[in-house]
Amino acid sequence: MRVLLTGHQGYLGTVMAPVLTAAGHEVVGLDAGLFADCVLGPAPADPSGHRVDLRDVTAEHVAGVDAVIHLAALSNDPLGSLAPELTYDINHHASVRLARLARDAGVGRFLYASTCSVYGAAGGGDLVGEDAPLRPVTPYAESKVRVEDDLHALADGDFTPVFMRNATAFGYSPRLRADIVLNNLVGHALLSGEVLVLSDGTPWRPLVHAADIARAFTAALTAPREAVHDRAFNIGSEINNVTVAEIAEQVAEAVSGSKVVITGETGADPRSYRVDFSRFRAAVPGFDCEWTVKQGALELADAYREHRLTQEDFERRFTRLAVLRAASDAGVVDDTLRWRR
Ligand SMILES: NC(=O)c1ccc[n+]([C@@H]2O[C@H](COP(=O)([O-])OP(=O)(O)OC[C@H]3O[C@@H](n4cnc5c(N)ncnc54)[C@H](O)[C@@H]3O)[C@@H](O)[C@H]2O)c1
C-alpha cells in the first residue's frame, strides 16, 4: 500500500515508518517538523515526505494514497493546556479536514492515533473497554474524542476510519520524548539517582511500547475491513496496566542504585484508567504486544547511557512543551506554532 504517514518525524512516527516499510508498504511522510532535530543517537533515515503544516494540507497530499495513518498532533496534555484553542485547531479541525480530503480522494482506510486518555477519570476499578463512557479531563483528550465523533460520521462503504486508542507509550525512539512517564522516570533515575514521582503514585496508567504501537497500526492497515471498519480499539496489553507507583518500582529495579521518591506535590491525578485490550487481539488474530514495562526501562537506560543523555537535553530538547516554548521565545514559530519564513 502507498501510505501517507502524518507525524512521521515525531516520537512514534520515527519508529513506525521503518516497520511499515519492512512490511512492504511505500511510506510518504507529512510533518511540520517541529521536533525533527530532537534526536538522541544516530539520525533516523526518514522516508520521503512533505514538510507542511496539517492546517495547510491540500488534496494534492492525499492523491494516489491507499491509506492514511494520522499521528500528527499536539501530542500531550501539557501542550493542550498551553493553548487549548490551538489544540482544537490542529488536533480536531485540521484532522477532520484531512480525513475529508482523504475520503474525497478515494483513500480507503484512515487509521487515527487516538488515546486511552479519552477514558479520563475512569477510576481504578473495572477494566474499561472501548464502549465505556468517555470522560476526557483535558483539552488534548477532548480533541481526540471530537475527532473520533466526526470521523465516525464520515465512515461509509468506501471509507474506513479506525480509532486506535493507544495506551501511554514508552521506549526508545531516535526522536525521543522524555515527557512521557516511563521515559521520564528512567531519565530521572539515571541523571539524579531518584525515580521522582510528583503525583501521589496511585493513578492507573496503562503503557505500551512504541514498537508495539507500530506493529498494531501495521496490522490494522491490512486487517479485513469488516474487522476494523469504524471501530475503536484499545492498543496495549493488560500486563502493562500499572499504577504510576508500580512504574517507578520497575524503573528503580532497572536502574541500579536509584530509589523511588514520591513527593505527591501535584496531588492526586484525576487521569486514571485500567484498560481492557482484548478487542484488538480478537479483531487481528495473532497480534499481541511484546514489550513489558521492565524490558522498556532496561532498554531506555541502555540507550540513555549509550547516547550520553544530559540533564539539559532531558529537560529541554526531549520535552515537547519546552521545545515549542523555546521556538516561540526565539521567534522561530509564531503564536499559532507556524514556522516564520
Ligand atoms: N506518545 C504517546 O504516549 C501517545 C499515546 C497515545 C496517543 N498518542 C498520539 O500519537 C500521535 C503521535 O504521538 P507522538 O508521541 O509521536 O508525538 P510527537 O509530538 O513526538 O509527534 C507529533 C508529530 O506531529 C507533528 N505536528 C504537530 N503539529 C503539527 C502540525 N500543525 N502540522 C504538521 N505536523 C504537526 C510534530 O512535528 C511531530 O513530529 C499523536 O496524535 C498522539 O496524540 C501518543
Side-chain angles (χ1 to χ4, degrees):
M1 289 174 117
R2 185 172 161 86
V3 181
L4 180 71
L5 176 64
T6 77
H8 74 291
Q9 292 179 308
Y11 170 72
L12 292 180
T14 301
V15 173
M16 198 176 292
V19 174
L20 291 165
T21 306
H25 302 295
E26 183 194 343
V27 179
V28 181
L30 189 152
D31 201 307
L34 294 170
F35 312 110
D37 298 331
C38 301
V39 172
L40 182 73
D46 292 333
S48 69
H50 310 283
R51 176 155 291 205
V52 64
D53 194 288
L54 192 59
R55 293 163 287 186
D56 302 329
V57 165
T58 66
E60 224 171 82
H61 297 113
V62 286
V65 163
D66 299 306
V68 172
I69 296 182
H70 181 36
L71 306 180
L74 295 182
S75 59
N76 64 9
D77 292 329
L79 289 182
S81 305
L82 171 75
E85 67 296 341
L86 215 48
T87 294
Y88 293 122
D89 277 354
I90 296 172
N91 292 14
H92 177 210
H93 301 299
S95 294
V96 176
R97 210 174 130 265
L98 171 71
R100 283 215 179 87
L101 287 168
R103 191 181 69 157
D104 293 349
V107 172
R109 198 163 289 197
F110 190 98
L111 306 187
Y112 175 58
S114 187
T115 167
C116 286
S117 62
V118 294
Y119 301 118
D126 297 338
L127 294 181
V128 289
E130 289 82 351
D131 297 329
L134 305 185
R135 299 191 179 101
V137 293
T138 61
Y140 166 73
E142 174 64 31
S143 75
K144 296 282 174 180
V145 173
R146 291 185 190 181
V147 176
E148 287 197 15
D149 284 348
D150 290 351
L151 264 57
H152 166 65
L154 294 179
D156 64 18
D158 299 315
F159 183 71
T160 291
V162 186
F163 313 111
M164 306 288 277
R165 293 182 185 161
N166 304 292
T168 300
F170 66 86
Y172 173 70
S173 162
R175 290 205 177 82
L176 187 78
R177 280 183 62 182
D179 53 6
I180 37 184
V181 61
L182 186 71
N183 300 9
N184 183 272
L185 293 180
V186 174
H188 260 294
L190 270 173
L191 292 165
S192 73
E194 291 188 342
V195 188
L196 190 64
V197 178
L198 302 180
S199 74
D200 64 4
T202 58
W204 289 94
R205 191 58 43 81
L207 301 186
V208 61
H209 196 286
D212 283 330
I213 293 179
R215 290 172 48 251
F217 275 71
T218 306
L221 207 51
T222 52
R225 181 178 182 279
E226 59 279 10
V228 296
H229 179 72
D230 196 21
R231 296 184 80 193
F233 295 102
N234 296 329
I235 302 299
S237 77
E238 287 77 4
I239 53 162
N240 294 334
N241 263 330
V242 280
T243 64
V244 173
E246 284 168 351
I247 299 170
E249 291 298 339
Q250 301 276 310
V251 172
E253 281 177 29
V255 180
S256 60
S258 66
K259 65 172 193 315
V260 176
V261 177
I262 296 182
T263 69
E265 66 196 67
T266 58
D269 188 332
R271 300 168 303 169
S272 181
Y273 36 89
R274 274 177 81 216
V275 175
D276 178 348
F277 296 100
S278 59
R279 183 187 281 182
F280 192 67
R281 289 193 298 267
V284 183
F287 177 84
D288 209 349
C289 290
E290 294 178 350
W291 285 79
T292 63
V293 172
K294 181 69 174 291
Q295 289 168 331
L298 290 165
E299 178 211 31
L300 282 162
D302 284 348
Y304 289 172
R305 280 194 202 98
E306 180 184 350
H307 303 306
R308 298 195 164 74
L309 179 72
T310 63
Q311 187 72 39
E312 165 82 7
D313 279 355
F314 179 63
E315 286 174 13
R316 298 182 191 281
R317 195 177 176 78
F318 300 123
T319 298
R320 295 297 186 244
L321 184 58
V323 172
L324 292 184
R325 281 212 166 114
S328 174
D329 290 350
V332 187
V333 296
D334 67 18
D335 55 10
T336 67
L337 298 182
R338 287 175 192 274
W339 295 111
R340 289 185 201 275
R341 295 185 194 283

